[in-house]
């Protein structure tokens, strides 16, 4: 069954679980911060409690974004496999220290170290995808690991609420450490290799397919003499990712609190809508992975998704029904999941296997904006007495900026498609 398809087992599967558990580590704090015992134990009370909560995500994403630049160069030198294993050990230790934290300051430091440890996730994934998959498979290959990016939190929201209810908030962190130690690390040790040429389990036929090029691939592959940094379209993607990170983290980090404090949901209802929101993101990722390969119009798709995000957020502000408001917030988050997928696909398109780590590091750096959005939203809530309207209005403005950026690449994309039209047999069912 795996004849000629082993790259999907040896690379796509480990990366899927890499993101499945990594995203629970990353956004699980949005669930844990709704637990009164957690807030009391670490001193997050008083008039500035929302700013303190926002600061947790702020310091994490600042460290995460900056370390992406560092990890990008390391990966291009040492390879994705060793880098992934090293990063996994770092964030496993930080999960343990987070569970043992007995003060706000200690927990804050653990979030900084976690950010540095997890900062290699995007560069590692981009490097593996660039090395192991044919250019025609980029959309599906990216979707295979981005699926874990959204399925993990969707299931993790329910699991974390259950663990906190039955045990304690500390147990949630110890459980996440165990997932990495006994699942993620062994998979990278025993399954992955940096390139298919290094793996004796890969047949000559599969290797030939991975390295195969044709006229269409050459159309979309950067010249070896031209750096991705010289392509203005890369910087459009980079700016779009700045906006996407600002929106995605702002929504995802505060969604559980929004549902409980602004819309009056109980924890069970909150976990259900939070999980559904991550499934929305998964749905957009799968749809974008399929449509991007078929239509070859990822920039147009990103423009549409930014437009939908602004619409859904606006509806969430004005609609009185709490369930519909929560679903609109989830759909807005889902749209940004699609943008995240398209951005990573375009990053691979505009770079080469030799520079993919650095390009992915620059893209990963944009996560720094997520920290600003989570902190600013908390600060705005404190100023407005806990109201979310001002914060959501800020997110709508950000979505409009993302829409404007991608408008500049649509014309070039359409021109490329006219020069290299999609063969009819590719879109037949």
């Amino acid at each position: 069954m795996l004849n000629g398809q082993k790259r999907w087992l040896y690379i796509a599967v480990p990366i899927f679980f890499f993101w499945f558990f990594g995203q629970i580590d990353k956004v699980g704090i949005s669930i844990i911060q709704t637990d009164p015992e957690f807030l009391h134990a670490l001193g997050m009370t008083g008039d500035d409690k929302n700013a303190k909560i926002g600061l947790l995500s702020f310091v994490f994403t600042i460290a995460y974004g900056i370390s992406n630049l560092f990890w990008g160069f390391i990966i291009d030198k040492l390879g994705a496999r060793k880098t992934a294993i090293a990063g996994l050990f770092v964030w496993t230790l930080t999960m343990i220290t987070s569970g043992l934290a007995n003060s706000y300051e200690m927990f804050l430091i653990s979030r900084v170290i976690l950010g540095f440890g997890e900062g290699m996730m995007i560069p590692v994934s981009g490097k593996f995808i660039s090395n192991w998959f044919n250019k025609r498979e980029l959309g599906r290959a990216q979707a295979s690991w981005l699926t874990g990016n959204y399925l993990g939190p969707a299931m993790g929201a329910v699991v974390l609420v259950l663990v906190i209810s039955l045990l304690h908030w500390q147990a949630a962190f110890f459980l996440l450490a165990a997932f990495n130690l006994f699942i993620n690390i062994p998979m990278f040790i025993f399954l992955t290799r940096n390139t298919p040429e290094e793996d004796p389990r890969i047949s000559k036929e599969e290797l030939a397919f991975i390295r195969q090029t044709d006229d269409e691939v050459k159309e979309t592959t950067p010249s070896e003499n031209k750096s991705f940094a010289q392509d203005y379209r890369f910087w459009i993607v980079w700016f779009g990712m700045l906006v996407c990170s600002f929106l995605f983290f702002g929504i995802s980090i505060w969604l559980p609190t929004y549902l409980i404090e602004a819309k009056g949901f109980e924890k069970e209802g909150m976990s259900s809508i939070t999980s559904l929101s991550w499934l929305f993101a998964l749905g957009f990722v799968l749809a974008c992975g399929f449509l991007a390969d078929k239509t070859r119009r990822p920039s147009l798709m990103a423009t549409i998704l930014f437009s939908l995000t602004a619409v859904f957020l606006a509806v969430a502000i004005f609609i009185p029904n709490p369930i519909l408001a929560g679903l609109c917030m989830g759909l807005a988050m889902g749209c940004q999941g699609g943008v995240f997928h398209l951005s990573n696909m375009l990053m691979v398109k505009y770079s080469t296997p030799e520079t993919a780590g650095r390009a992915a590091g620059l893209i990963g750096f944009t996560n720094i904006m997520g920290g600003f959005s989570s902190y600013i939203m908390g600060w705005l809530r404190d100023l407005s007495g806990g109201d979310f309207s001002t914060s959501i209005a800020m997110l709508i403005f950000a979505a409009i900026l993302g829409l404007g950026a991608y408008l500049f690449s649509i014309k070039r994309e359409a021109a490329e498609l006219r020069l290299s039209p999609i063969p009819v047999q590719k879109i037949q069912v």
Side-chain angles (χ1 to χ4, degrees), residues 123-135:
V124 161
S125 302
K127 190 73 170 180
F128 270 128
I129 295 299
S130 182
N131 283 337
W132 275 83
F133 292 89
N134 186 282
K135 288 288 183 181

Side-chain angles (χ1 to χ4, degrees), residues 311-324:
V311 171
F312 285 132
L313 289 172
V315 173
I317 291 178
F318 295 108
I319 197 165
N321 187 292
I323 295 178
L324 292 179

Side-chain angles (χ1 to χ4, degrees), residues 32-312:
I32 297 171
Q33 73 188 27
T34 65
D35 180 46
E37 188 174 347
F38 168 74
L39 298 177
H40 179 75
L42 297 184
M44 285 180 279
T45 57
D47 294 336
D48 62 344
K49 78 166 189 176
N50 290 303
K52 284 184 175 180
I53 293 171
L55 187 61
L56 294 178
S57 296
F58 176 76
V59 297
F60 168 82
T61 51
I62 294 295
Y64 184 85
I66 292 174
S67 67
N68 266 267
L69 300 176
F70 166 78
W71 286 117
F73 284 96
I74 296 297
I75 288 167
D76 283 337
K77 297 295 183 182
L78 297 182
R81 181 172 177 264
K82 289 182 180 178
T83 306
I85 294 169
L88 283 165
F89 273 112
V90 171
W91 97 49
T92 299
L93 291 174
T94 58
M95 285 292 102
I96 296 173
T97 57
S98 294
L100 296 175
N102 55 14
S103 70
Y104 179 76
E105 292 74 19
M106 181 178 177
F107 191 83
L108 202 65
I109 293 172
S110 74
R111 299 303 292 178
V112 174
I113 299 174
L114 178 64
F116 278 108
E118 290 195 356
M120 48 75 195
M121 293 180 73
I122 293 177
V124 161
S125 302
K127 190 73 170 180
F128 270 128
I129 295 299
S130 182
N131 283 337
W132 275 83
F133 292 89
N134 186 282
K135 288 288 183 181
R136 294 181 182 272
E137 300 178 305
L138 292 183
R140 282 165 290 166
Q142 292 282 10
S144 69
W145 63 265
L146 285 169
T147 299
N149 188 41
Y150 303 110
L151 188 59
M155 298 179 65
V158 177
V159 172
L160 290 176
V161 168
L162 185 62
V163 169
I164 293 171
S165 299
L166 295 179
L167 299 172
H168 194 268
W169 63 266
Q170 293 170 315
F173 288 106
F174 298 146
L175 178 66
L176 294 174
F179 285 149
N180 284 329
L181 189 60
F182 297 110
I183 298 178
N184 272 339
I185 292 175
M187 288 189 109
F188 275 93
I189 291 175
F190 296 111
L191 290 182
T192 66
R193 298 294 183 272
N194 287 323
T195 66
E197 286 84 355
E198 296 178 14
D199 196 329
R201 299 165 297 184
I202 300 300
S203 66
K204 293 181 179 179
E205 293 76 16
E206 184 169 1
L207 178 60
F209 174 77
I210 293 170
R211 298 293 177 240
Q212 174 186 342
T213 60
D214 56 28
D215 291 339
E216 179 184 345
V217 173
K218 291 175 184 177
E219 288 277 351
T220 59
T221 303
S223 168
E224 291 182 2
N225 298 321
K226 183 178 180 181
S227 168
F228 65 86
Q230 295 175 290
D231 192 331
Y232 78 93
R233 293 172 300 172
F234 175 84
W235 294 108
I236 289 176
V237 174
W238 186 82
F239 180 79
M241 269 297 292
L242 279 177
V243 176
C244 177
S245 297
F246 191 87
L247 287 163
F248 191 85
F249 278 94
I251 299 172
S252 62
I253 293 298
W254 283 103
L255 180 60
T257 304
Y258 167 82
L259 293 171
I260 289 176
E261 297 187 7
K263 296 301 175 183
F265 283 88
E266 298 294 332
K267 283 200 172 183
E268 292 76 11
M270 174 274 290
S271 65
S272 297
I273 291 186
T274 299
S275 295
L276 187 59
S277 299
W278 286 99
L279 291 177
F280 285 153
L282 173 58
F284 277 101
V285 164
L286 296 176
C288 288
F290 176 80
L291 292 174
D293 283 344
K294 294 299 181 182
T295 67
R296 289 178 20 219
R297 297 300 306 271
S299 294
L300 176 61
M301 291 169 62
T303 305
I304 294 171
L305 290 173
F306 273 119
S307 302
L308 289 174
T309 299
V311 171
F312 285 132

